[in-house]
Amino acid sequence: MGARQIYETLRDQILKRVYGTDGLLPSSRALAGELGVSRSTVTVAYEQLAAEGFIDVRHGARPRVAKAVAEAPAPDTKSRPSSRKARLSAYGQRLSQVAPRPREQSRNLIANFRYGDLSPADFPVLAWKRAVVAAMTRRPTKLSYDDPSGSRRLRTALQAYLWRTRTVRCEVDQIIVVNGSQQGLDLCARLLLDRGDRFVIEDPGYLMARHVFSATGALAIPIPVDVDGLDTGQLANSEARLAYVTPSHQYPLGGVMPIGRRHQLLTWARKFDAYVIEDDYDSEHRYDIKPVPPLHALEGSENVIYLGTVSKTLSPTLRIGYLVVPPELQSVFAAAKQIMDRHTPLAEQDALATMIETGVYDSHVRRVRRRNGERRQALLDALHRRFGDRIRIDGAAAGLHVVVWFRDLPATSEATLIDAALAKGVGIYPVSSLFDQRRQARQHRPDVVGLVMGYAALEARQIERGCELLAQVVDQLRSMRAANRRRSRQLDHQNLR
C-alpha cells in the first residue's frame, strides 16, 4: 500500500466521521505496523492530509482531525437503494413480512407514556457496579466457553428465588438462562413449532411473541381475553402445539386468570400434548392484589414452560431472562442455546447471582415496587382529575402500565389523537395494534380509543403535565367533532328545505 492510497483512505474516513468529531488518528508508527508499510510512507500521507487541512499535526502528539473539518456538516452518506432482490430463506421471507420494523424513538418529549421504559434513577448503580467488579476480579484458571444453560451459580440462585417468591419448584438443570425473554420465546418457537402448526395467542396480546411464532410458518389462533384473562372456554378443540399466555397479569388488559381457568388450560394442554408458555413478565410489581401462584406451581404442570426476566426490575438493556423447561426439554434447549450464541455473558450472570444471594436484589425489587406504586397512583389521580368518568381504566392492580379507554372518542379518531399529542410533546400508544388485525376478528375490539400508558420511566410532575396536555388534545378533538356534527346537521337541514 502506497502513501497515496493511505492518504485517500484516511481522507474518506475523516469525511465520514470514522474518527468522530474531534478524533485522534493512530500514530505514524502504530499505523505503519498495522498496515505493514514503512513509517516514512505513513508520514508522507499524514503530511499531505495536514497540507490540505484535514488534520492537525504537532510534534510528539498523535494527529487529530482538524477543527474546521470536524465542525463541517457531515456529508450525505446514505447509500442508494439496490435494485437487486434479496434471496432469503423461507424463514427470512416470513420474517420480512411479519416482523415489525424498528422505529425511531421520539426524543425530547415532555412525557413519553411508552410501556417497557424504566427510570434510570431506579437502577441500583452502586450495587450492580460492585457485583460486576467482583465478578471481573475473580480470575478464572482459564478463559473458556461456559455451560450454555447458564452459570451454575446463577441458576442455583434463581432456583431458590423462584421457590421463595413465586412458589415455582424445579431442578437447577431445568433452568435455561437466556438473553432476555425474547430469546426465550425464540428458542420455544424454533424447537416446538413447524410450518403449518397452530399456536394459541391472547387477543389482544404481546405482539413480539406473535411475531416470533409466526416467523416459523405456524398459524396463530387468537383467543379473546376478558377481565379474567384468556377465555379458556374457547380453547375447545383447537389442536395447537402450544399456547402463549400471561396469566398473572394479562398483557395488555391486566386480567388475572382465576384458578378454574388455569386448570382448564392445563387440562387442554394435556389432552392435546401441547406446551403452555407462561410469561411471568412483571409479577414483581403488585399493588392491589396478592401474589397469584403461577401455572407452573399447580399440579399437572408438566406441560408448562415458565418464562421470567429482569427487564422489568433491573433494566431491559441487561438482556437477562430465564426459562424453566420440563425435564424432557433440558438437553435440546441447552443445545439450541449453544448453537445460537454459546451462552449469555458470564460477568452479568455472576453479578446477578451475587445480588440475589446477598438479598440486594430483593431489596431493590421492594424499593422499585414502592416507587412505581407512587407513579401509578400519580397517573391514576391525574387521569381521574382530567377526564373523570369519561374514561375507563383497566389493569391498574399490577404491572407497569394501565389501559385507558376514552368512552366518547371513536376508534376512528385514534391516529389524529396520537399525532396531536405528539405535537404537544406527549407520546401515547394505542391498544388497537395489539389486537388480531384480521377483519373477522374486529368484532371483539372496542369501538373507542384505547391507550396503553406506561409510567415506570416518568416522575410525578411529568405524569401530571403529560395528562394535562393530553386532556387539552382530547378536548380539542371533542370540540372538532361537535363542530363537524353541527355543520352536518345544518347541511341536512338546508337539503331538506
Side-chain angles (χ1 to χ4, degrees):
M1 179 178 286
R4 182 69 186 180
Q5 190 175 357
I6 295 172
Y7 153 77
E8 290 176 348
T9 300
L10 291 173
R11 179 197 61 195
D12 293 344
Q13 290 175 346
I14 290 170
L15 290 174
K16 292 182 179 180
R17 304 293 192 264
V18 170
Y19 299 102
T21 56
D22 191 24
L24 290 170
L25 278 69
S27 67
S28 58
R29 185 186 303 277
L31 186 57
E34 184 178 335
L35 298 178
V37 299
S38 68
R39 186 179 179 186
S40 61
T41 302
V42 174
T43 301
V44 169
Y46 276 166
E47 288 175 348
Q48 185 64 32
L49 289 168
E52 296 182 13
F54 286 104
I55 62 174
D56 294 327
V57 178
R58 289 187 301 162
H59 182 69
R62 289 166 55 186
R64 184 183 296 274
V65 177
K67 184 177 181 182
V69 177
E71 293 177 350
D76 184 5
T77 58
K78 292 182 180 178
S79 59
R80 296 178 180 177
S82 172
S83 59
R84 181 173 180 268
K85 186 176 181 180
R87 297 182 62 187
L88 300 173
S89 66
Y91 176 83
Q93 292 174 6
R94 289 191 297 269
L95 197 63
S96 67
Q97 295 170 3
V98 304
R101 301 293 186 271
R103 293 182 297 178
E104 186 175 350
Q105 298 180 9
S106 299
R107 301 181 183 275
N108 301 321
L109 293 177
I110 295 170
N112 190 355
F113 290 101
R114 184 174 59 182
Y115 170 72
D117 294 352
L118 303 183
S119 171
D122 290 350
F123 187 79
V125 175
L126 293 179
W128 183 256
K129 181 179 179 181
R130 284 194 294 267
V132 171
V133 169
M136 298 298 293
T137 53
R138 280 192 288 269
R139 295 178 63 89
T141 56
K142 60 180 178 179
L143 298 177
S144 61
Y145 296 113
D146 202 67
D147 189 334
S149 297
S151 78
R152 191 84 183 174
R153 183 184 173 205
L154 176 57
R155 288 187 291 144
T156 300
L158 286 171
Q159 179 194 38
Y161 175 78
L162 290 172
W163 170 231
R164 182 177 72 251
T165 63
R166 298 296 288 136
T167 67
V168 170
R169 303 191 70 165
C170 64
E171 300 299 324
V172 170
D173 289 338
Q174 290 180 251
I175 298 176
I176 311 290
V177 178
V178 291
N179 296 335
S181 60
Q182 196 62 32
Q183 187 181 55
L185 293 173
D186 189 39
L187 285 170
C188 291
R190 292 172 185 264
L191 297 176
L192 303 178
L193 290 174
D194 285 317
R195 180 179 177 83
D197 287 340
R198 298 181 176 186
F199 64 92
V200 167
I201 194 83
E202 298 167 327
D203 186 30
Y206 181 42
L207 273 187
M208 292 294 280
R210 180 171 183 147
H211 290 323
V212 76
F213 298 143
S214 296
T216 66
L219 306 175
I221 304 176
I223 292 184
V225 300
D226 56 23
V227 294
D228 290 329
L230 184 80
D231 184 359
T232 52
Q234 296 194 34
L235 285 170
N237 295 317
S238 54
E239 299 182 18
R241 288 282 298 274
L242 65 81
Y244 170 82
V245 293
T246 52
S248 296
H249 184 232
Q250 198 278 328
Y251 180 78
L253 300 186
V256 178
M257 186 180 289
I259 191 67
R261 286 194 180 184
R262 291 175 184 242
H263 282 299
Q264 191 173 8
L265 176 59
L266 294 176
T267 299
W268 168 84
R270 288 193 299 272
K271 177 180 178 181
F272 291 101
D273 195 23
Y275 287 104
V276 175
I277 300 175
E278 178 180 17
D279 191 346
D280 206 13
Y281 66 101
D282 67 356
S283 61
E284 289 88 356
H285 298 281
R286 300 179 302 273
Y287 314 111
D288 297 335
I289 58 174
K290 295 180 179 180
V292 180
L295 293 170
H296 199 284
L298 301 178
E299 279 189 40
S301 63
E302 63 274 4
N303 295 69
V304 176
I305 297 172
Y306 182 87
L307 175 61
T309 179
V310 301
S311 293
K312 303 298 183 291
T313 53
L314 284 173
S315 170
T317 65
L318 292 179
R319 311 312 305 140
I320 299 179
Y322 46 88
L323 294 165
V324 180
V325 302
E328 70 271 14
L329 295 179
Q330 292 171 199
S331 60
V332 69
F333 268 77
K337 172 66 175 170
Q338 184 176 38
I339 66 171
M340 185 174 287
D341 61 4
R342 289 286 188 169
H343 56 71
T344 295
L346 293 177
E348 287 86 342
Q349 290 191 63
D350 204 18
L352 180 58
T354 295
M355 291 184 66
I356 295 174
E357 291 166 352
T358 58
V360 171
Y361 182 72
D362 291 62
S363 298
H364 167 71
V365 169
R366 288 192 295 270
R367 183 168 59 254
V368 295
R369 182 190 298 139
R370 182 179 67 254
R371 289 179 179 175
N372 284 318
E374 293 168 354
R375 295 179 178 116
R376 160 191 172 266
Q377 193 59 53
L379 177 59
L380 295 178
D381 291 345
L383 288 171
H384 287 305
R385 186 163 51 251
R386 298 292 176 184
F387 300 102
D389 59 1
R390 296 179 298 175
I391 60 171
R392 188 185 87 234
I393 300 175
D394 290 337
L400 300 175
H401 75 281
V402 298
V403 173
V404 183
W405 301 100
F406 292 79
R407 301 180 191 273
D408 56 349
L409 282 185
T412 53
S413 62
E414 177 186 280
T416 304
L417 176 67
I418 292 171
D419 291 342
L422 190 61
K424 281 188 172 287
V426 180
I428 53 175
Y429 305 89
V431 71
S432 62
S433 63
L434 305 180
F435 281 87
D436 182 62
Q437 299 301 310
R438 290 174 294 187
R439 181 173 300 176
Q440 61 268 30
R442 291 179 183 172
Q443 59 182 330
H444 301 298
R445 296 190 217 168
D447 57 1
V448 297
V449 170
L451 300 178
V452 180
M453 300 187 70
Y455 50 79
L458 302 173
E459 298 308 320
R461 64 182 183 280
Q462 292 175 287
I463 293 171
E464 177 62 36
R465 180 59 174 159
C467 288
E468 178 186 358
L469 293 172
L470 179 59
Q472 292 176 12
V473 173
V474 170
D475 289 341
Q476 290 170 2
L477 279 183
R478 289 188 177 116
S479 298
M480 290 170 55
R481 292 186 65 243
N484 289 336
R485 284 196 297 268
R486 286 195 299 270
R487 281 196 297 269
S488 178
R489 285 196 297 268
Q490 289 171 357
L491 288 173
D492 290 342
H493 182 67
Q494 291 173 1
N495 291 334
L496 288 174
R497 292 179 61 186

